[in-house]
């Protein structure tokens, strides 16, 4: 049964301060909505439980990309089209630009925001693995003030995050100190575009001669939330790329991931593919 839109209330304050005040006054009543590419699907299917929505669409305070000498700061209201077209991101953060190009159709990219992609907390979301690999930092805001936390600490359980009821995600900060890092991204799905990933891996690594000096691995669709594969990373740091190292890395991935069986794939397939993708990345480092 389709929902009756009359059962829902949408308000659209014209400033970020006004939004924060509404959330402070009634933190359990209003659900923020930006591009609406996820919430409107739920509305159309009759399964959107939130009855009171507060629009963040096109608030200038949330839609920006600021490049400083040390970092790039991306406002939570920035669309995937904005990200794809930004010269610093395409030049220095190419795997983020590539992930943005995977996110639905062009119409979805024009409306969908990076903040919504994070806060929606889908285990299969496209941008989170990249942000995990880049070791991004989140800034959260409320009428009480701002706070920051590493993105790797944001997801707590399935569809559960560290965001408080009166808080909004304000921005994502990524360091520009990535000289010498090699990057990798692969999404495995039924087709190249407009598909939910069966498995996705994004990774960065820096070599010191023939040793892995640093490695970061973000993954989608292998846990109940977007995950940083820290146990596998620790196995690899300081190692040379040998058949034994690759075998150990594969075993570490298989031990760390906890995928599920669903309509798109099986848990066994997802775990095996995640190990295959990491092996592919390791071969590029040794090559």
């Amino acid at each position: 049964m389709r929902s009756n839109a009359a059962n829902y209330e949408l308000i659209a304050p014209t400033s970020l301060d006004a939004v924060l005040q509404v959330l402070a006054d009634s933190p359990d009543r209003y659900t923020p909505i930006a591009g609406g590419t996820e919430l409107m699907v739920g509305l159309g299917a009759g399964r959107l439980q939130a009855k009171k929505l507060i629009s963040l669409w096109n608030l200038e305070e949330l839609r920006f990309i600021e490049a400083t000498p040390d970092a790039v700061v991306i406002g939570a209201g920035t669309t995937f089209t904005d990200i794809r077209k930004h010269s610093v991101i395409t030049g220095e953060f190419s795997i983020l630009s590539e992930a943005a190009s995977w996110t639905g159709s062009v119409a979805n990219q024009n409306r969908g925001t990076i903040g919504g992609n994070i806060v929606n907390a889908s285990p299969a979301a496209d941008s989170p693995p990249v942000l995990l690999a880049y070791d991004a930092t989140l800034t959260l805001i409320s009428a009480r003030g701002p706070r920051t936390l590493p993105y790797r600490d944001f997801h707590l359980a399935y569809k559960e995050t560290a965001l408080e009821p009166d808080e909004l995600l304000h921005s994502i900060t990524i360091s520009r100190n990535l000289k010498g890092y090699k990057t990798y991204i692969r999404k495995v799905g039924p087709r190249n575009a407009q598909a939910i990933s069966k498995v996705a891996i994004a990774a960065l690594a820096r070599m010191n001669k023939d040793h892995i000096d640093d490695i970061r691995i973000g993954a989608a669709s292998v846990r109940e939330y977007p995950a940083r594969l820290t146990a596998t990373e620790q196995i690899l740091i300081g190692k040379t790329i040998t058949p034994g190292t690759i075998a150990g890395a594969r075993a570490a991935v298989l031990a760390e991931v906890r995928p599920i069986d669903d309509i798109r794939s099986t848990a066994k397939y997802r775990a095996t593919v995640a190990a295959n993708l990491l092996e592919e990345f390791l071969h590029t480092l040794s090559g």
Side-chain angles (χ1 to χ4, degrees):
M1 175 181 289
R2 298 180 64 86
S3 293
N4 184 347
N7 294 330
Y8 294 84
E9 175 189 341
L10 173 68
I11 62 172
T14 57
S15 72
L16 183 56
D17 284 343
V19 170
L20 296 179
Q21 193 58 56
V22 170
L23 295 179
D25 293 340
S26 54
D28 296 323
R29 293 176 54 203
Y30 283 94
T31 297
I33 178 172
T37 56
E38 289 290 338
L39 289 182
M40 289 300 96
V41 172
L43 174 64
R47 51 180 170 79
L48 180 61
Q49 295 183 1
K51 302 300 182 183
K52 294 179 179 290
L53 308 175
I54 183 167
S55 176
L56 310 178
W57 177 246
N58 230 15
L59 286 177
E60 292 183 2
E61 300 103 316
L62 293 177
R63 187 172 181 176
F64 65 88
I65 301 175
E66 178 185 351
T68 72
D70 298 323
V72 167
V73 184
I74 305 171
T78 303
T79 69
F80 290 105
T81 296
D82 297 334
I83 289 169
R84 283 195 303 104
K85 293 184 175 181
H86 196 274
S87 60
V88 172
I89 292 176
T90 58
E92 298 182 30
F93 304 95
S94 59
I95 60 173
L96 179 56
S97 178
E98 186 167 354
S101 73
W102 292 341
T103 306
S105 65
V106 172
N108 290 130
Q109 293 165 23
N110 288 341
R111 289 285 305 191
T113 65
I114 190 168
N117 205 226
I118 293 170
V119 173
N120 185 54
S122 167
D126 290 320
S127 62
V130 177
L131 299 176
L132 290 165
Y134 280 132
D135 205 21
T137 299
L138 305 184
T139 297
L140 311 178
I141 57 171
S142 69
R144 295 175 284 112
R147 67 183 176 110
T148 61
L149 78 163
Y151 177 45
R152 62 182 178 272
D153 296 334
F154 183 71
H155 296 287
L156 305 177
Y158 177 72
K159 292 285 188 174
E160 181 181 342
T161 73
L163 197 67
E164 297 293 339
D166 65 337
E167 284 184 316
L168 291 176
L169 172 58
H170 175 267
S171 55
I172 304 98
T173 300
I174 307 172
S175 171
R176 296 181 76 176
N177 184 24
L178 296 172
K179 184 177 180 180
Y181 279 86
K182 293 185 178 180
T183 61
Y184 173 88
I185 189 167
R186 281 286 301 274
K187 174 179 177 177
V188 176
R191 54 186 184 270
N192 290 333
Q194 299 189 54
I196 298 173
S197 64
K198 295 181 179 181
V199 180
I201 295 287
L204 276 73
R206 183 179 62 207
M207 301 295 290
N208 182 2
K209 296 181 180 179
D210 60 347
H211 292 75
I212 299 174
D213 186 49
D214 186 27
I215 187 165
R216 311 170 195 171
I217 308 163
S221 297
V222 299
R223 295 282 295 270
E224 64 272 28
Y225 49 80
R228 177 96 174 255
L229 303 184
T230 54
T232 302
E233 293 171 2
Q234 290 303 310
I235 290 290
L236 287 166
I237 290 176
K239 299 291 179 59
T240 57
I241 309 297
T242 66
T245 299
I246 291 172
R250 291 185 63 93
V253 168
L254 294 175
E256 187 168 10
V257 301
R258 294 197 296 270
I260 62 170
D261 294 322
D262 65 14
I263 193 171
R264 295 193 303 277
S265 192
T266 66
K268 182 178 181 180
Y269 175 85
R270 287 186 163 107
T272 301
V273 169
N276 290 347
L277 296 183
L278 179 58
E279 178 174 347
E280 182 177 69
F281 178 48
L282 294 177
H283 280 302
T284 69
L285 298 179
S286 65

